[in-house]
Amino acid sequence: MHPVNQRSRQEKSWTTRRDAKAERLARAARVTKGRVIPTDNIVEALELLLIPGDRVVLEGNNQKQATFLSKALARVDPGKVNRLHMIMSSISRPEHLDIFEKGIAETIDFSYAGPQSLRVAQMLEDGKLKMGDIHTYLELYGRLFVDLIPSVALIAADKADGAGNLYTGPNTEETPVLVEATAFRDGIVIAQVNELVDELPRVDIPGSWIDFIVVADNPYQLEPLFTRDPRHITDIQILMAMMAIRGIYERHQVQSLNHGIGYNTAAIELLLPTYGESLGLRGKICKHWVLNPHPTLIPAIESGWVESVYCFGGEVGMEKYIAARPDVFFTGRDGSLRSNRAFSQVAGQYAVDLFIGSTLQMDRDGNSSTVTAGRLAGFGGAPNMGHDPRGRRHSSPAWLNMMTSDDPLARGRKLVVQMVETFQKANRPVFVESLDALHVGQEAGLATSPVMIYGEDVTHVVTEEGIAYLYRANSLEERRQAIAAIAGVTPIGLEHDSTRTEQLRRDGLIAFPEDLGIRRTDAKRSLLAAKSVEDLVDWSGGLYEPPARFRSW
């Protein structure tokens, strides 16, 4: 070997990241007590541990928010900590954007920003934040191990012991993936906990992965996002649910599935023990679920429909019910739920027969998005689950039922269903000539338009008018005609050539309720297995304890 090259090898350091971490930890030692950051010292500790330009992953997902740490980050001195590159699954709280207003943070990569979507759009327009990309959850998690490796992770857990071991309880969510991406590349992991205890119910994350714990001044924010009060389910939603059960679940023998959040899918869950039972479908459909523990699923569980439920996260008030049903839920020896958002996204992408969700806009080709004018909402995990994964190799009756060719190399497809009423609130049409997302993407300077689910992946569209069986279409024109036929009096629906309706019905491209043996007059609330949250509590034998805002008794 050439002597110069040999000398270069000898002089090169391979521990620069580890050495840099050691320097940060040494700086912070004067305000910490071993692994513990005293509650009142958190802002100063962050100022010592963070450096300008750091990539910081802040836990904030659909439900669990590292509230104490996000508030503390918003209080650091911008003269000491600035130009941070923030990585967040969900932009959910005001201080998530306050840090950009104050100059603490500069760039954002995220998945979802529902509660703050208007403000994100305005701040982007005003040049107060720089956009990285809008990701699906799995995409964002994946990049944490590739080109968005965090310097610091700010996470939340229920409890910690003196060794730094964490108990995350029923809302483990995305905590393990955030910690692992940071800890094993010599980043710094700071966990806020509700309490410090001598012994944990179980160890969810080992202390060797955690650098600091801090007891929060208040428990982390936790929202019951997946609770739907049956009182608000309408007759139209019941009609659509009946069509989904008869025209999709029964027809295609759907046994494993993911339900999105919403009243449409809550109606399906509450019709299984009644309408589904009348069709003799128990034990034939809807056996294996990947979803948060929806309270509206309780009657189906109690009626023997559900064999298993794997969860993205928990749901406030469902803790005792889950602990009492270990045959159904994934629980630890302590009885509490073990959830995992990353694993659930993988299961929802590859292991289920069907994904059913909703959208705010859909164009004539079936492309859809929840990004609309003035709102940069993102889309979370829907694109992960709302597409046909080309890597799938195992079959199921529903998957095989999507085959439309006798070719020996033909493959099945996952069912991707969009379930929407033709008009939203304020009489805004769902079916539009062009998605707002195209314009919003251009205004935000995104390289690609923020489409949530591409039309080529959608197999079925359900509206109050009927079902479009898009997977049966032989051409783009047929797909467009099928969508238009069930789009009502929206701009797309008015384009439909009504003379083709009967042919589309005969060819199996669309089905109206009467084609499925459903009388519209039968779609009444009397069909619901539970008509109120109080009914859900009764079904659970008193184990479900809904939050106060859902109590009406």
Side-chain angles (χ1 to χ4, degrees), residues 376-397:
L376 204 61
F379 21 66
N384 291 140
M385 293 173 288
H387 82 285
D388 179 44
R390 304 289 290 177
R392 176 167 172 167
R393 292 297 181 269
H394 78 282
S395 63
S396 66

Side-chain angles (χ1 to χ4, degrees), residues 162-202:
N165 298 307
L166 300 183
Y167 169 68
T168 51
N171 288 283
T172 296
E173 298 262 1
E174 64 193 14
T175 314
V177 72
L178 305 185
V179 173
E180 186 156 340
T182 309
F184 289 90
R185 281 287 278 165
D186 294 307
I188 293 172
V189 180
I190 305 172
Q192 72 165 75
V193 297
N194 296 338
E195 57 181 326
L196 190 60
V197 298
D198 293 330
E199 185 176 353
L200 299 175
R202 69 171 189 249

Side-chain angles (χ1 to χ4, degrees), residues 10-28 48-49 51 151 183 185-188 211:
Q10 292 170 346
E11 294 173 355
K12 179 178 175 64
S13 171
W14 293 96
T15 60
T16 56
R17 296 177 66 91
R18 192 164 298 170
D19 296 341
K21 176 176 180 176
E23 290 179 10
R24 297 195 198 205
L25 297 179
R27 285 200 304 268
L48 292 168
L49 290 166
I51 63 173
S151 309
R185 281 287 278 165
D186 294 307
I188 293 172
D211 295 294

Side-chain angles (χ1 to χ4, degrees), residues 191-473:
Q192 72 165 75
V193 297
N194 296 338
E195 57 181 326
L196 190 60
V197 298
D198 293 330
E199 185 176 353
L200 299 175
R202 69 171 189 249
V203 174
D204 288 312
I205 298 176
S208 59
W209 299 12
I210 308 300
D211 295 294
F212 296 108
I213 53 177
V214 55
V215 178
D217 53 7
N218 285 295
Y220 59 74
Q221 178 189 347
L222 190 61
E223 291 296 318
L225 293 182
F226 295 88
T227 297
R228 290 294 177 266
D229 189 336
R231 290 183 305 168
H232 302 306
I233 296 175
T234 66
D235 289 352
I236 286 178
Q237 291 162 344
I238 292 168
L239 174 65
M240 293 168 64
M242 293 171 72
M243 286 192 283
I245 291 171
R246 192 73 198 264
I248 300 177
Y249 292 18
E250 179 184 18
R251 177 173 295 189
H252 303 302
Q253 305 171 66
V254 173
Q255 296 189 22
S256 58
L257 65 162
N258 166 263
H259 270 189
I261 184 173
Y263 287 104
N264 288 330
T265 48
I268 295 174
E269 293 158 16
L270 290 171
L271 288 183
L272 291 177
T274 57
Y275 180 64
E277 193 72 33
S278 73
L279 298 175
L281 296 178
R282 179 157 51 93
K284 299 177 181 177
I285 65 170
C286 301
K287 294 161 62 175
H288 307 290
W289 300 70
V290 179
L291 80 176
N292 280 61
H294 296 182
T296 45
L297 200 58
I298 291 173
I301 294 172
E302 296 300 303
S303 300
W305 281 75
V306 179
E307 291 188 13
S308 66
V309 179
Y310 187 64
C311 301
F312 299 80
E315 186 68 358
V316 179
M318 287 287 284
E319 296 83 2
K320 289 183 179 179
Y321 180 76
I322 290 167
R325 301 291 182 270
D327 279 353
V328 173
F329 295 96
F330 288 69
T331 58
R333 291 181 180 178
D334 64 314
S336 68
L337 180 72
R338 170 67 178 193
S339 61
N340 189 298
R341 183 164 298 278
F343 289 166
S344 289
Q345 291 288 335
V346 172
Q349 184 171 10
Y350 276 99
V352 300
D353 293 332
L354 171 145
F355 163 77
I356 185 166
S358 191
T359 187
L360 296 179
Q361 286 188 336
M362 179 178 287
D363 67 15
R364 58 172 53 86
D365 294 334
N367 301 305
S368 64
S369 187
T370 51
V371 174
T372 56
R375 290 181 180 270
L376 204 61
F379 21 66
N384 291 140
M385 293 173 288
H387 82 285
D388 179 44
R390 304 289 290 177
R392 176 167 172 167
R393 292 297 181 269
H394 78 282
S395 63
S396 66
W399 188 81
L400 293 171
N401 201 247
M402 290 292 99
M403 293 174 63
T404 56
S405 167
D406 294 330
D407 189 309
L409 291 179
R411 342 175 27 254
R413 289 180 64 178
K414 181 169 78 176
L415 283 75
V416 176
V417 183
Q418 292 281 57
M419 192 173 184
V420 296
E421 294 179 46
T422 53
F423 283 86
Q424 310 172 44
K425 294 179 181 178
N427 209 32
R428 292 190 299 270
V430 168
F431 295 90
V432 295
E433 295 178 349
S434 178
L435 298 177
D436 289 355
L438 275 63
H439 176 71
V440 173
Q442 292 173 348
E443 291 293 307
L446 299 176
T448 58
S449 298
V451 173
M452 181 175 69
I453 296 178
Y454 287 99
E456 64 193 32
D457 285 315
V458 179
T459 58
H460 301 72
V461 178
V462 183
T463 73
E464 70 273 22
E465 301 292 333
I467 301 176
Y469 294 90
L470 300 185
Y471 75 96
R472 296 179 62 90

